[in-house]
Amino acid sequence: MKSKLSLFLAFILIAGILTGCGGGGAEQGTGGAPEGQQVMDTCYYAYNSTPVINLDPSVAFSNEVIVLNNVYETLLKYDPFTKEFENVLAESYTVSDDMLTWTFKLRQGVKFHDGTDFNAEAVKYSVDRTKEIAKGASFIWDVVDSVNVVDAYTAEFKLNNPAPLNLVVASPYGAFIMSPATKDQATDWFEAGNEAGTGPYTLESYTMGDEVVLSKFDGYWKGWEGKHFDKAIIKGIPETSSRRQLIEKGEADITIGLPPEDMKALETQGGVDLRYETSFINMMALLNTQKPPLDNPKVREALAYAFPYKDAVDYAIGGFATQAKGAIPEGLWGHGDDLLQYQEDLDKAKALLDEAGIKEGELKLLLTYMSGDEGEKKCAELFKAELSKIGVELEIRAMPWESQWSMSKSTNVEDRQDIFMFYWWPDVSTPYSWLKSLFYTEDEISFNLGYYSNKDVDKLIDDGYKASGSDLEAAENLFIQAQEKILAENPAIFVYDKQDLWALNPSVKGFTPNPSYPLVVFFYDMYRE
């Protein structure tokens, strides 16, 4: 979920002045560093897409995860490797025997960036606001009937069904706690560059679609003793060659998504800290189930058999991935090892098209992908080449994320793409994140960009979520059953589960990626030696 940005020229200039909005009343920041020179207290993240699409913490549901998780905080933070929770704004919590009441004891002495005290009223306000706006990842709160203020530092959540609320309140989307003072602000207050979090950094300034500057919040409750970055600059740079050059020259401190061949070249030449990390990010191609001829299940099945999965893993991602089995990535509960895994079989694909009455040369399809993403580009090109062998013409169109996104939401079905290729990563680290967002019937289009609807699948997803609070094994079985039905109807081609490829300046220490917070760099935990 990314988009094309301008070139990274200002990033290497001395004290380049931003043209974006000042955040939270702060002065505009300086978005540059001396060429070839490191700034000890500043970390530069050369991101492969736009770092900001929506700054409203109740609404944001895309790339801004990398910004907002440094500005705002949640009650808990989740470690998927240990399956343990870190207390953040909550100091502890208890759960009733029926799992319908969760009580959180809150941390005292915490201030929002606007000076307001953090307390239970702020928790209630934040959850209620997100539920009321009902956009972005607000669905994570569907299980919550009410948030009650027991006392100043005790918040009680009443659920309508048992659910893993500890995972929900640790979500990197939709679970941010914001200052209640924002209730008096106009709806566009956040989009003007303002924020009201408790996190270690304030939003100093930003240029929409280009750059974000974060500065340390002096009143941060953890304090600033020890080694930390005082400032962070996140710059959107879709051009892979530019990101590699910046890392090689030491002008950027960290980047993500370099092509495998670049990573291998950097490994050979040395001088860069390379990380190959577990991720919960997977690539898929959503098929437009409402637009002929893809409304025919046989045609969608034919496309599933025509996709070059092995070449996608070996060539497009350089082997730093595994072929997907269903919607849920390997390593996350709900992943089904025994699920149907399609393999390329062009003879079978051609036979299915014949059964559907599609003659050679008749089928012309449009695939969109995000410009600047080499993995998506290569997968699309490979798919185009294979489809041409069975008489299917595939137009592949690289688009800025905002344009790809806009086309997918066109009110006229005929104006939408046939195939939407992109990556998905979690909001909450449960199968519900993928299945609810991508394959649950939607009245208003959000991320179900195959426009798929199956009431039996909807029920399995709902039942799985309800069971996840009390019987994880039962929930997992229900989510796997939902995937079996999805695989039988092919509203998507599941391509691969990828690794995150990070490249860092060797002087940067303390970087520990967490796949439950995809692509996020937690700058407070890092420093330069």
Side-chain angles (χ1 to χ4, degrees):
M1 294 170 285
K2 316 162 183 81
S3 66
K4 184 177 180 182
L5 307 173
S6 59
L7 292 173
F8 185 57
L9 297 178
F11 188 62
I12 58 175
L13 297 176
I14 300 176
I17 304 300
L18 294 176
T19 59
C21 304
E27 296 180 358
Q28 290 182 324
T30 58
E35 184 173 352
Q37 180 178 332
Q38 301 161 356
V39 179
M40 290 300 293
D41 67 351
T42 301
C43 186
Y44 297 87
Y45 181 7
Y47 187 51
N48 66 344
S49 183
T50 177
V52 169
I53 295 174
N54 193 315
L55 285 169
D56 189 327
S58 290
V59 178
F61 200 28
S62 191
N63 295 349
E64 52 277 306
V65 64
I66 66 174
V67 175
L68 298 185
N69 278 279
N70 285 286
V71 174
Y72 295 87
E73 291 177 302
T74 52
L75 296 181
L76 302 173
K77 186 177 178 182
Y78 179 60
D79 184 335
F81 300 116
T82 64
K83 294 183 171 58
E84 295 179 350
F85 292 87
E86 174 189 342
N87 294 326
V88 185
L89 292 179
E91 289 190 327
S92 64
Y93 64 95
T94 57
V95 188
S96 62
D97 290 341
D98 62 7
M99 299 197 70
L100 294 177
T101 302
W102 294 63
T103 305
F104 290 83
K105 291 293 184 181
L106 306 179
R107 192 175 300 280
Q108 300 185 34
V110 176
K111 293 281 189 182
F112 287 99
H113 297 164
D114 63 8
T116 304
D117 289 330
F118 163 74
N119 54 28
E121 290 287 354
V123 174
K124 177 176 174 56
Y125 164 72
S126 300
V127 176
D128 287 350
R129 179 182 189 271
T130 300
K131 284 170 64 70
E132 181 179 348
I133 290 175
K135 294 183 179 180
S138 62
F139 65 85
I140 68 174
W141 300 114
D142 287 351
V143 73
V144 176
D145 271 345
S146 64
V147 181
N148 304 315
V149 176
V150 177
D151 59 43
Y153 293 100
T154 307
E156 177 188 78
F157 289 70
K158 289 289 189 179
L159 310 190
N160 49 51
N161 284 287
L165 192 69
N166 45 6
L167 282 172
V168 172
V169 303
S171 169
Y173 293 101
F176 298 120
I177 306 303
M178 65 201 84
S179 170
T182 61
K183 66 183 177 183
D184 299 324
Q185 302 296 339
T187 55
D188 61 352
W189 186 79
F190 290 103
E191 292 313 296
N194 298 294
E195 50 86 1
T198 60
Y201 296 94
T202 63
L203 179 63
E204 178 180 308
S205 59
Y206 83 100
T207 305
M208 182 61 76
D210 183 37
E211 182 178 79
V212 173
V213 178
L214 305 176
S215 292
K216 79 171 185 178
F217 172 46
D218 289 329
Y220 184 49
W221 60 271
K222 283 187 179 180
W224 289 93
E225 292 184 7
K227 298 179 179 179
H228 307 278
F229 280 117
D230 291 347
K231 181 173 288 195
I233 297 176
I234 306 171
K235 181 78 175 179
I237 312 168
E239 299 81 8
T240 57
S241 60
S242 298
R243 295 201 309 279
R244 174 178 170 176
Q245 185 178 43
L246 289 164
I247 283 290
E248 285 180 307
K249 290 184 175 181
E251 294 165 9
D253 290 310
I254 186 166
T255 192
I256 183 78
L258 291 179
E261 55 269 26
D262 283 0
M263 295 291 284
K264 291 173 182 176
L266 289 171
E267 187 173 331
T268 299
Q269 72 185 46
V272 178
D273 180 11
L274 303 178
R275 305 280 189 90
Y276 306 92
E277 302 285 351
T278 297
S279 86
F280 293 154
I281 300 175
N282 52 357
M283 179 189 279
M284 62 192 74
L286 299 179
L287 307 181
N288 190 335
T289 59
Q290 293 184 0
K291 184 177 179 181
L294 295 185
D295 58 345
N296 185 333
K298 286 190 180 293
V299 178
R300 299 198 300 270
E301 186 179 4
L303 295 187
Y305 277 111
F307 197 91
Y309 302 96
K310 187 176 186 304
D311 287 344
V313 170
D314 292 344
Y315 170 66
I317 202 69
F320 296 111
T322 56
Q323 184 184 340
K325 284 187 177 180
I328 310 307
E330 187 175 9
L332 186 71
W333 69 277
H335 172 80
D337 286 331
D338 297 326
L339 286 170
L340 170 64
Q341 187 180 55
Y342 286 91
Q343 301 296 330
E344 183 178 9
D345 186 336
L346 292 182
D347 290 337
K348 189 169 183 63
K350 183 67 168 62
L352 285 163
L353 291 178
D354 291 341
E355 290 178 35
I358 305 291
K359 296 180 181 178
E360 189 167 334
E362 284 185 345
L363 185 53
K364 298 181 180 180
L365 302 171
L366 170 64
L367 180 152
T368 65
Y369 72 93
M370 191 202 73
S371 54
D373 190 287
E374 288 298 309
E376 293 181 28
K377 176 183 178 181
K378 290 175 180 177
C379 282
E381 291 171 343
L382 289 166
F383 196 21
K384 177 183 176 74
E386 295 307 289
L387 286 175
S388 68
K389 296 175 183 177
I390 56 173
V392 176
E393 181 181 333
L394 181 67
E395 177 190 349
I396 55 177
R397 188 179 300 175
M399 305 178 74
W401 169 252
E402 295 90 339
S403 301
Q404 186 187 12
W405 177 252
S406 177
M407 174 184 279
S408 73
K409 293 178 179 294
S410 174
T411 55
N412 184 351
V413 173
E414 293 299 319
D415 291 337
R416 299 173 189 164
Q417 75 293 327
D418 298 295
I419 305 172
F420 190 101
M421 180 172 283
F422 78 140
Y423 291 102
W424 187 259
W425 52 71
D427 34 74
V428 182
S429 292
T430 79
Y432 190 70
S433 169
W434 281 259
L435 300 178
K436 172 72 173 182
S437 299
L438 303 176
F439 302 106
Y440 195 95
T441 301
E442 289 182 339
D443 295 325
E444 181 179 344
I445 300 170
S446 181
F447 274 99
N448 182 348
L449 302 178
Y451 322 105
Y452 174 67
S453 178
N454 182 317
K455 294 301 182 183
D456 291 336
V457 170
D458 292 350
K459 186 176 187 308
L460 286 166
I461 295 171
D462 286 336
D463 290 348
Y465 186 59
K466 292 174 183 177
S468 62
S470 56
D471 190 338
L472 202 62
E473 183 177 351
E476 188 166 31
N477 288 334
L478 289 163
F479 286 138
I480 289 174
Q481 288 178 48
Q483 291 176 82
E484 289 172 344
K485 288 185 177 294
I486 291 168
L487 285 162
E489 295 189 316
N490 294 295
I493 297 171
F494 301 107
V495 182
Y496 55 64
D497 304 334
K498 69 184 289 288
Q499 287 182 296
D500 277 335
L501 308 183
W502 296 93
L504 290 85
N505 188 314
S507 69
V508 172
K509 307 299 179 184
F511 174 64
T512 305
N514 183 328
S516 288
Y517 301 84
L519 312 182
V520 176
V521 175
F522 291 100
F523 298 106
Y524 179 82
D525 299 330
M526 298 162 57
Y527 58 95
R528 191 187 308 280
E529 281 190 345

